[in-house]
Amino acid sequence: MKRFLGKKIFRLFIIAYFTVAMIEIVAEYFNDKTLVTLFKPILIPLLIGYYFYKSRKRSFLFIVALVFSWIANIFFINDTINYIILGSVFFLIYRVIIIYLVIRMVKMPSKLPLLIGAIPFLFIYATTCFLTFEDFGENIFLFIIHGIFIIFLGGYSLGSYIVYSSKTNLILFLSTMLFALSQFVFVLKIYSEYVYFLHALAMLQFVVAQYLLTKFMHLKEKPKSKYEFANTINEL
């Protein structure tokens, strides 16, 4: 009975998460600051609730990381430069924690897959830095630091999938790729007249990326079958 109720609750959380996400994406598209202010702060708490009820073995560090992401999103509601910088700092802390968790949970047998996997992410961020070097000014260094971490995480996730094409590694790679693309879309706003459409697109990518990352954590924390355990040993 308790397990049945738990399933009902986490399903309610994920339905609420995507419902709020849809409202938030529409609000970004129409630049409705009232709706953005009301609904954007609710997203991450709903995802934390989903993770809490979905996973039996919960990672305290992952919940802390999501809290930092939540604080970053609060700052990003106000689009003045000081708030954006503060949000970027909190999101950087979030990313560092996620990288630590991924390295601990996913083993890389050698550096070569990491280097190969980093190539597409390096291309994305090199292109972005080239396009925005003058527009960002001194803040380009914070963007570069973010880029270094996402290139590493992207290379690690894609490299892991190349070595061992599991469902969890695919989900991690897709999540990282969406995070990287959302950064690229964010920069495109500088050169596009469709600013609010790109706002909405970046938010869509962020919402799906966060969900996939949470899904990855849940799958990694599930007890492994004998077949999965054997593959994990071979992967090492």
Side-chain angles (χ1 to χ4, degrees), residues 184-196 198-199:
F184 187 72
V185 169
F186 176 79
V187 170
L188 281 180
K189 293 187 299 183
I190 299 172
Y191 302 96
S192 175
E193 59 184 29
Y194 303 106
V195 175
Y196 301 128
L198 293 175
H199 263 296

Side-chain angles (χ1 to χ4, degrees), residues 84-116:
I84 290 173
I85 291 172
L86 281 171
S88 297
V89 170
F90 277 96
F91 203 73
L92 185 61
I93 297 170
Y94 155 82
R95 188 153 281 153
V96 170
I97 297 173
I98 294 301
I99 289 174
Y100 170 77
L101 289 172
V102 168
I103 292 173
R104 196 176 68 178
M105 300 176 80
V106 180
K107 303 301 179 183
M108 182 73 71
S110 68
K111 294 180 180 178
L112 183 59
L114 170 64
L115 295 174
I116 294 172

Side-chain angles (χ1 to χ4, degrees), residues 106-114 156 159-164 169 232-236:
V106 180
K107 303 301 179 183
M108 182 73 71
S110 68
K111 294 180 180 178
L112 183 59
L114 170 64
Y156 201 94
S160 300
Y161 182 68
I162 291 170
V163 172
Y164 177 47
N169 286 344
T232 304
I233 295 298
N234 291 332
E235 179 187 352
L236 298 175

Side-chain angles (χ1 to χ4, degrees), residues 18-183:
F18 281 108
T19 302
V20 170
M22 288 175 63
I23 296 171
E24 163 62 14
I25 291 164
V26 171
E28 293 284 0
Y29 181 78
F30 289 104
N31 193 31
D32 190 324
K33 291 295 184 182
T34 302
L35 285 179
V36 170
T37 304
L38 286 173
F39 286 95
K40 195 170 188 177
I42 305 173
L43 275 172
I44 298 300
L46 288 172
L47 197 61
I48 292 173
Y50 164 75
Y51 172 71
F52 186 83
Y53 281 100
K54 181 72 172 175
S55 295
R56 294 182 185 179
K57 183 182 177 183
R58 305 174 188 99
S59 170
F60 173 74
L61 262 181
F62 181 63
I63 294 174
V64 170
L66 288 177
V67 169
F68 276 106
S69 177
W70 175 70
I71 296 171
N73 275 318
I74 298 296
F75 283 119
F76 288 146
I77 291 174
N78 191 320
D79 56 3
T80 58
I81 189 64
N82 290 334
Y83 282 97
I84 290 173
I85 291 172
L86 281 171
S88 297
V89 170
F90 277 96
F91 203 73
L92 185 61
I93 297 170
Y94 155 82
R95 188 153 281 153
V96 170
I97 297 173
I98 294 301
I99 289 174
Y100 170 77
L101 289 172
V102 168
I103 292 173
R104 196 176 68 178
M105 300 176 80
V106 180
K107 303 301 179 183
M108 182 73 71
S110 68
K111 294 180 180 178
L112 183 59
L114 170 64
L115 295 174
I116 294 172
I119 292 172
F121 293 91
L122 181 61
F123 174 77
I124 291 172
Y125 270 87
T127 303
T128 305
C129 286
F130 176 77
L131 291 173
T132 58
F133 187 81
E134 294 183 358
D135 297 280
F136 271 85
E138 293 180 356
N139 298 317
I140 191 67
F141 295 107
L142 183 60
F143 184 80
I144 289 172
I145 293 170
H146 271 279
I148 291 170
F149 280 109
I150 200 67
I151 289 168
F152 176 83
L153 182 58
Y156 201 94
S157 61
L158 180 53
S160 300
Y161 182 68
I162 291 170
V163 172
Y164 177 47
S165 302
S166 67
K167 180 181 177 181
T168 52
N169 286 344
L170 176 61
I171 289 173
L172 176 63
F173 164 65
L174 292 175
S175 172
T176 310
M177 179 59 78
L178 284 171
F179 275 125
L181 289 175
S182 69
Q183 295 283 311

